[in-house]
Amino acid sequence: MTSISRALCSDGFFTRPPGVHSIQQLTSSLISSKFQPLLRELKQVSLRLDISKGIKNASQRLLDLLVDSTFKFTAQPLLPSQRNFAPVDEIGPCWVRIDADRIEGEVPSDFPEGFYIRNGSNPLFGALQSTESVFGRSSETWVEGEGMLHAIRFARDADSGKWKVSYKNRYIQSDTFRIEKEKNKPCFLPAIEGDSAAILAAYFLNQLRFGKINKYISNTNVFEHSGKIYSIAENHIPQEVDIFSLETLGNWDRNGEWGRPFIAHPKKAPGSGELVIVGADAVKPYLVLGILSADGRTLKHKVDLKLERSIVCHDIGVTNMYNIILDFPITVDINRLIQGGPLMKYDKESYGRIGVMPRYGDADSVKWFEVERCCVFHIINCFENGDEVVVRGFRSLESIIPGPDHGHDKFQWFSEGFKPISKNKESSSEGLNKGLFFSRVYEWRLNMKTGNAMERYLTGCEFALEFPMMNDSFSGQHNKYGYAQVVDSIASSICAKLKYRGLAKFYFEEQSNGISEVEAEKSTDGGIKVEHHHLGDNKFCSGGTFISKRGSQEEDDGWIVVFVHDEDLNSSQVHIIDTKRFGSDPVVKITLPQRVPYGFHGTFIPRRARNET
């Protein structure tokens, strides 16, 4: 024994029981004699916890058995024309250096160092899933594959000054991704498209098994705020991503302050750098707007916009003074689902309106403008012009999301919707939806003084457009130029999925009159000049983004960077296109080490002023 223990025992402080010869034995004896009642109670608590845990585990196993025996998962097939929508595997843990012989042309000297990164749907188990059960059928929609990032790193060698170009891809490892990855099989029952009973059963069982009604797909967009990078789809909050490893760092939950889904296209307010966000939900409050501080640490404003219906809100706009809210009739209605209808639907009989809201306003401060009913997923830009607020975006007559009502032939429905529309005509014979997804550049001029709304097409019927790009330095302010991907209506109709055959540059302040057919096409309204960049036969693009030339102040002085896939060679590239010579060949074509499936939105993240690790 130590001197202290001996002293404690010798001076009568402790009466040493017979047979106890050490402090360890004394301690054990005291515990066993003095604290037996407490030990017995602790053992009972532990036993109760073990029983509770055992019941929980047994209940989980029972639920898993119920789902496995009741629901049959099947992979949704792809046609040969759809093969580049098929998912790919992660290429590996490291960036793959692209050799010089796979780079045609030279990366410009004034191109910024950084990361071109694009998000997209990449189903974890090789294909989107459907289920059959006693409740009916439910299916994942074409936008529901797990998110995968594809990134190109542009870096200069410190010694030689030569460009080093590398490629990497990686899944967004959301909470639900990890669940299915661990179980190594599809687990979440599809819960958007299908028979109402099957969808309701999916909600109930997904919630019971996983505490979530649906998967967090995080496959739509990538954005930066306050030096941090996030992946997002609007059914969940963003996931933070390490740009150097593409590792998912966790949910950006704002310490629980936000507490709802997060829009796929948040916008930075001009001047302040604050981030304007919106979150839609199927229950009240249906739409909430928030403003995050420029440093990302504070939720400075949060307000219920008090909408009367739940809508799919994919994009918003900002100007110097206002937030722009789109309230168009792609509705989410649980009561409609319970009564046997679709959960999500484009409501042809409902209304459309645009709200103009002071930056820190509330629901009562929103000035609503009734406009023609239509579908708008993406805004190109918004700005103030005297008494008017100008909003430009892509307008179509109906929505491709989520898909047809149950009972329709899905392939035919999509195929008809992607077909070209006739000049001066936006509808076809009764019973068909020919060309209803044909999206054109549209302008709304909202007069804040009179309350009047003027609206018109800026492009015609010769080509459909989507996925806008612009110089983000002019976001929310008057801009002269914009860019978009050009839909190949014929190829999209053949495969019943969207394919983009090239790119377009918009000259908003120049009319198309007098412009050659190669350079521009004239809308029915005598619309704006549109210049084209053609990719070539059987080549299609995705994820384009605008990058400003380093140090330039000109709005259209930069590049469009975009993923391009050659379907004849089954090979993918990245093209860098000079926007000052938009119709010319790319200045660089970079052949990638593996195929890159078609995806959604891309962005460019300038390299931070620190060493890469």
Side-chain angles (χ1 to χ4, degrees):
M1 288 190 296
T2 65
S3 58
I4 296 175
S5 63
R6 283 196 300 270
L8 288 172
C9 291
S10 62
D11 69 2
F13 191 85
F14 286 129
T15 302
R16 184 164 52 187
V20 173
H21 304 290
S22 69
I23 192 68
Q24 290 84 1
Q25 286 178 305
L26 177 61
T27 303
S28 176
S29 174
L30 285 170
I31 288 175
S32 61
S33 60
K34 304 291 185 183
F35 299 101
Q36 279 294 344
L38 177 59
L39 282 173
R40 282 195 296 270
E41 180 61 26
L42 287 173
K43 286 180 180 178
Q44 289 298 318
V45 170
S46 177
L47 180 61
R48 288 196 295 271
L49 289 173
D50 287 342
I51 292 172
S52 175
K53 184 177 179 180
I55 291 173
K56 182 179 179 180
N57 289 338
S59 299
Q60 184 68 49
R61 289 194 297 271
L62 185 61
L63 283 169
D64 290 344
L65 180 62
L66 172 65
V67 170
D68 291 342
S69 61
T70 306
F71 293 85
K72 179 184 178 182
F73 281 90
T74 57
Q76 298 178 26
L78 289 175
L79 300 171
S81 61
Q82 300 170 336
R83 65 177 179 168
N84 197 46
F85 290 94
V88 294
D89 294 330
E90 293 179 334
I91 200 167
C94 300
W95 290 85
V96 177
R97 178 77 175 269
I98 298 174
D99 296 332
D101 61 359
R102 297 176 70 86
I103 301 176
E104 179 185 339
E106 294 185 4
V107 178
S109 59
D110 49 359
F111 193 85
E113 291 186 278
F115 301 83
Y116 166 48
I117 185 167
R118 198 218 68 196
N119 212 337
S121 169
N122 201 85
L124 177 58
F125 298 106
L128 295 170
Q129 300 293 318
S130 298
T131 62
E132 295 275 2
S133 70
V134 294
F135 302 101
R137 181 181 178 87
S138 67
S139 301
E140 292 179 334
T141 67
W142 64 281
V143 296
E144 285 190 88
E146 283 77 9
M148 175 177 275
L149 302 177
H150 298 266
I152 306 295
R153 180 173 61 184
F154 294 92
R156 281 188 178 276
D157 185 272
D159 296 324
S160 68
K162 292 183 178 179
W163 284 102
K164 297 186 296 182
V165 182
S166 306
Y167 166 80
K168 183 178 176 60
N169 69 331
R170 194 163 187 182
Y171 275 109
I172 296 296
Q173 298 198 3
S174 67
D175 299 339
T176 59
F177 174 91
R178 290 189 174 98
I179 290 171
E180 291 198 319
K181 184 72 172 177
E182 181 179 346
K183 293 180 178 292
N184 198 31
K185 66 178 183 179
C187 300
F188 280 83
L189 301 170
I192 291 180
E193 178 186 82
D195 295 309
S196 58
I199 294 174
L200 289 168
Y203 282 160
F204 181 69
L205 291 169
N206 287 343
Q207 183 67 38
L208 278 180
R209 296 171 77 200
F210 309 117
K212 303 161 177 52
I213 64 172
N214 210 344
K215 291 193 294 187
Y216 301 152
I217 52 179
S218 195
N219 66 12
T220 307
N221 196 16
V222 186
F223 69 93
E224 176 273 335
H225 187 60
S226 187
K228 295 184 177 181
I229 315 304
Y230 302 95
S231 171
I232 186 64
E234 57 247 26
N235 76 332
H236 189 41
I237 55 179
Q239 279 81 58
E240 186 180 352
V241 175
D242 184 307
I243 192 64
F244 298 103
S245 66
L246 301 190
E247 177 186 356
T248 305
L249 302 178
N251 295 324
W252 191 30
D253 63 2
R254 299 296 316 129
N255 299 317
E257 290 178 290
W258 184 239
R260 61 179 30 241
F262 200 101
I263 193 170
H265 294 283
K267 294 291 172 65
K268 286 190 179 181
S272 71
E274 296 168 328
L275 194 69
V276 182
I277 62 177
V278 165
D281 211 335
V283 296
K284 287 185 176 181
Y286 293 130
L287 202 67
V288 172
L289 181 139
I291 299 176
L292 288 163
S293 61
D295 61 12
R297 297 176 181 175
T298 307
L299 182 63
K300 299 176 69 175
H301 191 54
K302 183 179 180 182
V303 58
D304 174 9
L305 296 179
K306 297 183 179 178
L307 262 61
E308 298 174 353
R309 60 186 180 184
S310 175
I311 61 169
V312 174
C313 183
H314 185 73
D315 200 358
I316 56 171
V318 292
T319 70
N320 286 324
M321 294 174 55
Y322 301 113
N323 310 314
I324 310 302
I325 313 299
L326 304 180
D327 183 9
F328 287 110
I330 311 174
T331 60
V332 179
D333 192 333
I334 295 175
N335 289 327
R336 182 171 62 211
L337 176 69
I338 292 171
Q339 294 168 13
L343 172 68
M344 191 183 299
K345 179 181 180 181
Y346 180 79
D347 192 344
K348 300 176 185 179
E349 307 304 320
S350 194
Y351 58 87
R353 60 179 185 165
I354 299 175
V356 181
M357 170 189 177
R359 179 78 74 239
Y360 279 84
D362 58 17
D364 294 332
S365 70
V366 181
K367 188 175 184 65
W368 290 104
F369 293 83
E370 299 294 325
V371 297
E372 290 184 22
R373 177 181 62 247
C374 63
C375 173
V376 180
F377 282 113
H378 295 117
I379 291 172
I380 301 170
N381 197 25
C382 309
F383 58 90
E384 299 153 31
N385 183 31
D387 293 332
E388 291 182 329
V389 172
V390 180
V391 180
R392 292 172 180 154
F394 298 120
R395 180 187 194 270
S396 63
L397 292 186
E398 287 199 17
S399 169
I400 60 175
I401 295 176
D405 290 348
H406 189 68
H408 286 74
D409 182 289
K410 184 186 292 189
F411 181 90
Q412 182 182 7
W413 189 84
F414 276 114
S415 179
E416 288 287 334
F418 291 136
K419 287 182 177 178
I421 58 176
S422 302
K423 203 171 185 70
N424 301 317
K425 187 176 181 181
E426 289 186 317
S427 60
S428 58
S429 58
E430 188 176 351
L432 297 177
N433 64 324
K434 181 179 177 182
L436 292 182
F437 310 149
F438 196 98
S439 52
R440 303 159 61 188
V441 180
Y442 202 75
E443 181 182 85
W444 296 265
R445 288 186 171 268
L446 313 175
N447 193 302
M448 298 295 290
K449 183 174 288 187
T450 67
N452 294 330
M454 296 179 61
E455 43 189 312
R456 62 170 182 147
Y457 283 111
L458 298 183
T459 58
C461 304
E462 295 84 359
F463 50 90
L465 300 146
E466 255 295 356
F467 285 79
M469 298 159 268
M470 65 172 293
N471 186 331
D472 286 340
S473 298
F474 290 78
S475 178
Q477 302 176 64
H478 183 270
N479 65 308
K480 298 179 181 179
Y481 307 98
Y483 308 86
Q485 295 175 186
V486 179
V487 178
D488 189 321
S489 296
I490 301 301
S492 299
S493 177
I494 290 171
C495 80
K497 291 181 181 288
L498 276 168
K499 289 184 177 181
Y500 298 91
R501 61 177 169 84
L503 300 160
K505 178 179 180 179
F506 309 128
Y507 294 75
F508 289 114
E509 296 189 350
E510 296 185 39
Q511 296 295 306
S512 64
N513 301 37
I515 303 301
S516 70
E517 186 176 351
V518 173
E519 293 178 313
E521 301 181 49
K522 185 176 179 180
S523 80
T524 54
D525 298 309
I528 60 172
K529 173 183 172 181
V530 181
E531 188 178 4
H532 289 267
H533 180 91
H534 299 284
L535 298 174
D537 293 341
N538 292 323
K539 295 182 175 71
F540 305 98
C541 65
S542 66
T545 191
F546 179 90
I547 303 172
S548 291
K549 288 185 180 178
R550 199 170 60 236
S552 178
Q553 301 299 313
E554 291 186 64
E555 182 186 341
D556 69 333
D557 193 15
W559 299 273
I560 295 293
V561 183
V562 67
F563 283 96
V564 175
H565 185 73
D566 186 325
E567 294 199 345
D568 291 335
L569 300 177
N570 198 29
S571 173
S572 298
Q573 297 182 321
V574 165
H575 290 189
I576 300 178
I577 300 153
D578 190 331
T579 52
K580 288 286 193 180
R581 301 185 295 112
F582 194 71
S584 302
D585 290 339
V587 295
V588 183
K589 295 180 181 179
I590 303 166
T591 300
L592 302 176
Q594 74 167 18
R595 178 178 66 85
V596 175
Y598 301 129
F600 303 132
H601 294 280
T603 192
F604 185 79
I605 309 297
R607 182 180 171 183
R608 301 172 195 161
R610 67 177 177 87
N611 293 328
E612 297 180 18
T613 57

